[in-house]
Amino acid sequence: MVDPPRTHQPPRAIAELPVETLLTRSDELARRWAIALILARPADEIGEVPLEDLARQAPALCAQAVRALQSDAELERLSGRSARGARADSAAARELPAICGARDAAAL
């Protein structure tokens, strides 16, 4: 028996998820993200991690990602799905390759 094809459902927020503590720690989340990016690279590629960009953009992006766990509107803003009148390519998630120093999708 063949299973029917599944339709892709966009992720949904979980309204009752307690995210306040994570929101107050967005700087720490950004630091841990930077550390994870450094640890994931071979030693000769560590210099490719754009630490200045991370320091400037990652705390706000982490906070936005945490808010997106709880709010469909924030999730749409993060992903660019709600970009009525705004440019969809300005979504924060589209900044990830540059922030992470990724050259391509596989590196991201």
Side-chain angles (χ1 to χ4, degrees), residues 53-89:
D53 292 340
L54 278 165
R56 188 175 45 258
Q57 298 174 8
L61 184 56
C62 287
Q64 188 176 11
V66 168
R67 285 190 302 273
L69 293 171
Q70 196 175 42
S71 163
D72 285 337
E74 288 291 336
L75 180 61
E76 289 175 358
R77 202 169 297 125
L78 178 69
S79 67
R81 288 193 320 225
S82 69
R84 270 192 225 147
R87 291 176 28 147
D89 63 346

Side-chain angles (χ1 to χ4, degrees), residues 14-80:
I14 305 168
E16 59 277 348
L17 191 65
V19 299
E20 293 77 23
T21 302
L22 287 174
L23 282 173
T24 63
R25 299 173 70 184
S26 60
D27 285 345
E28 180 183 343
L29 292 172
R31 277 192 301 277
R32 289 177 181 248
W33 181 14
I35 291 166
L37 287 172
I38 290 167
L39 292 174
R41 293 180 187 267
D44 62 338
E45 293 180 14
I46 290 174
E48 295 176 18
V49 177
L51 293 176
E52 289 181 29
D53 292 340
L54 278 165
R56 188 175 45 258
Q57 298 174 8
L61 184 56
C62 287
Q64 188 176 11
V66 168
R67 285 190 302 273
L69 293 171
Q70 196 175 42
S71 163
D72 285 337
E74 288 291 336
L75 180 61
E76 289 175 358
R77 202 169 297 125
L78 178 69
S79 67

